[in-house]
Amino acid sequence: MSKLNTSDLPAIHYTIWSADLHGHRFHVKLRIENPLPNGQILQMPAWIPGSYLIRDFSKQIETIEAFAVDNPNEALVLERIDNDQWRLPKLAGAVDILTTVYAFDSSVRAAYLDTERAFINPSSLCLAVKGQESLPCALVLIPPKDTCANHWTVQTGLQPAKVDSQGYGFYLAKNYDDLLDHPIAMGEFQIAHWKSNGVSHSMAIQGCIHELDLERLATDLQAICTCTINLFEPKTKEAPFQNYLFLVNAVLFGYGGLEHRNSTALLCRRDQLPLVNTLLDESSYREFLGLCSHEYFHAWLVKRIQAIAFQPYQLDRRNHTRLLWFFEGFTSYYDDLQLFRSKRIDLKTYLKLVANNWNGILRGPGRLKQSLADSSFDAWTKYYQADENTPNAVVSYYGKGALLALGLDLKIRAFTNNRQSLDDLMRLIWQTHGVTLDGIAEDGLDDLILTLLGAGFSKTWNEFKARYIFGLEDIPIQKWLDPKTISVKHRTLSKLEQIKLQLGLRHSELSGWLKVTHVLDGGAAQLAGLAAGDLIASINGERITTARWDQVLSGLIPGQVIQICFYRDDLEHECMVVLEDDQIPTQYALSPAE
């Protein structure tokens, strides 16, 4: 790597290196060439875009010091403003701020460091220079000195300026927001490469010791990515980025993703990935492809089509919008639909996925209390801070939002005699708000829908909004699907499935005990007086464990009095209840019409 002169760097640049692999600590040096003269303020983000929870990343800062560049031996006095803000003294000339940051969060939302790998979300390590966030900045990555990291490489979508063969060196960002939108992974990877419509794509996977079937991954992901590019740009077939990177951390247990402008960070189980010459659980792999499809779709919807409430992101506070049912729900509708359209799954499998989501929504009492608009607005305090009562109080803007998208798609198709669909609306939104980067107002979809469909659709849309977005009504998909193409039937439940639905109870295992985690409104468990945290000892005299749960339930008779023995706070209790038919929520099955 050729030397890059300091004069070539932007006035704000960050240098990151590992302080202690075993202690999970990064060192970060922030150089500010022109701090504001009246006392430059520094601030650590409180949350990361795409994950709506205050996480207070500043809590991981262990040490922070500041020095004038022309006097590096004497520390400057930093004024602590609050838990995530510091003020430099009034001075002229460049300064360095040195921080030590603890990093041992294995999710996709923060930072991680050990002897196996490193993962960086800059929002967890890089202080914002208040008032100068719009300026270009640079990031310098220094390789670890530890021999265990000798073969590590750097994987990131950040623009390289001068880097070595392993990817260490200088990177450039347009501004602070751009820096934060580029996660960085370091370690040893298996990498799949492909092109979709001429655009280079890669998937870099770490955490797998066995050989991955990279050819299958590339084939399947190429089909999905090409399908999504063509959805938004059917004429030009152009992607809004020059390259795209999937960063995957494969673990024993874990699942999730976080979207970025030209990359995504994914967490999955190792058994969800295809290995060479190894039998694969196709349903688990399909779930992984659905995750990839979801986060990739966000490169259009969320990263470029944005709520005006997120322009700009205010990372020191909650940013509220009532449109997450659109941003996340519509993406959830398209993630599996794109698997079907790209021929990764057949119609029967796709309809089963739709029905599973639909039935899950119908099993949740929270849908009768919280609207999709409120679910979006309250994501910070309810959806992202789930507790034992969440199923009774919250409806998922992912799940019900996906069902809403299907419903709107069916309404548009019916209104236009299949001449138009939700695809046409998404393309209009893309051209109006994605290409231009103009944020969508809270009521901004109204004009777009009427622009596409005309005033004749106004009554239908207003009723649709009132009932299913701002109201609490169930979305009647069964009435809107065309029976000539899709068959809708009440799902036939096994005896065990019926009893579980009647009980309305969710559980986990605790040291051999069956521990109640959730009790659903209206279910037999709630009527019996069970509560989250209870340990069930027996039902009708038969001992209960998680291994025996299904066996004991299968022996119950609907209408029969059930006696339950349980412990709460180490005290024994008994209760009785009867399983009633009206405790079973309606469930549906979808299949291709014959």
Side-chain angles (χ1 to χ4, degrees), residues 15 30 35 41 58 83 196 198 213 215 257 267 287 346 351 365 383 394 423 425 435 447 490 504 511 539 569:
T15 304
L30 165 60
I41 294 176
S58 62
N83 68 291
S196 287
D213 189 344
E215 183 177 351
L267 184 69
E287 186 180 22
D346 59 20
L351 292 177
Y383 187 84
V394 174
D423 292 350
L425 178 60
V435 174
D447 289 341
H490 287 285
S511 302
I539 293 180
D569 196 25

Side-chain angles (χ1 to χ4, degrees), residues 254-408:
Y255 184 81
L258 193 62
E259 67 273 7
H260 298 279
R261 280 188 179 90
N262 67 342
S263 64
T264 180
L266 305 177
L267 184 69
C268 73
R269 301 192 316 273
R270 295 186 186 98
D271 62 9
Q272 291 183 293
L273 298 173
L275 302 176
V276 172
N277 299 323
T278 302
L279 187 65
L280 177 66
D281 182 343
E282 294 293 338
S283 64
S284 293
Y285 179 53
R286 194 286 313 158
E287 186 180 22
F288 173 71
L289 291 180
L291 176 64
C292 296
S293 177
H294 184 99
E295 302 303 335
Y296 189 71
F297 200 90
H298 274 325
W300 286 263
L301 184 59
V302 169
K303 298 315 300 182
R304 289 168 175 84
I305 303 170
Q306 287 188 322
I308 200 167
F310 294 156
Q311 293 187 338
Y313 289 112
Q314 298 181 77
L315 298 179
D316 61 339
R317 68 197 72 176
R318 296 168 181 152
N319 296 189
H320 291 284
T321 176
R322 288 183 168 83
L323 292 176
L324 292 183
W325 57 264
F326 169 61
F327 291 107
E328 292 293 353
F330 279 42
T331 300
S332 296
Y333 171 59
Y334 274 102
D335 57 26
D336 286 334
L337 182 59
Q338 296 300 84
L339 298 189
F340 169 64
R341 287 174 167 176
S342 62
K343 297 181 171 56
R344 301 307 98 186
I345 59 175
D346 59 20
L347 180 58
K348 182 179 178 181
T349 302
Y350 171 66
L351 292 177
K352 184 177 180 180
L353 294 173
V354 173
N356 287 345
N357 178 55
W358 187 10
N359 290 331
I361 296 163
L362 293 174
R363 290 194 296 268
R367 78 188 198 283
L368 304 175
K369 300 178 184 177
Q370 187 186 51
S371 70
L372 276 175
D374 286 342
S375 177
S376 301
F377 192 88
D378 292 334
W380 298 84
T381 53
K382 292 192 175 182
Y383 187 84
Y384 270 87
Q385 297 192 56
D387 59 23
E388 72 281 353
N389 193 50
T390 293
N392 295 324
V394 174
V395 66
S396 168
Y397 51 77
Y398 286 88
K400 191 175 179 180
L403 197 65
L404 183 91
L406 171 58
L408 183 57

Side-chain angles (χ1 to χ4, degrees), residues 499-537:
I499 290 173
K500 286 183 175 181
L501 289 174
Q502 288 171 311
L503 274 175
L505 178 150
R506 298 175 186 174
H507 62 86
S508 63
E509 184 176 11
L510 177 65
S511 302
W513 290 87
L514 186 141
K515 179 182 179 180
V516 178
T517 57
H518 302 84
V519 176
L520 304 187
D521 282 349
Q526 188 184 67
L527 296 177
L530 288 169
D534 290 346
L535 303 176
I536 299 181

Side-chain angles (χ1 to χ4, degrees), residues 151 165 175 296 323 366 414:
H151 300 291
S165 59
N175 48 48
Y296 189 71
L323 292 176

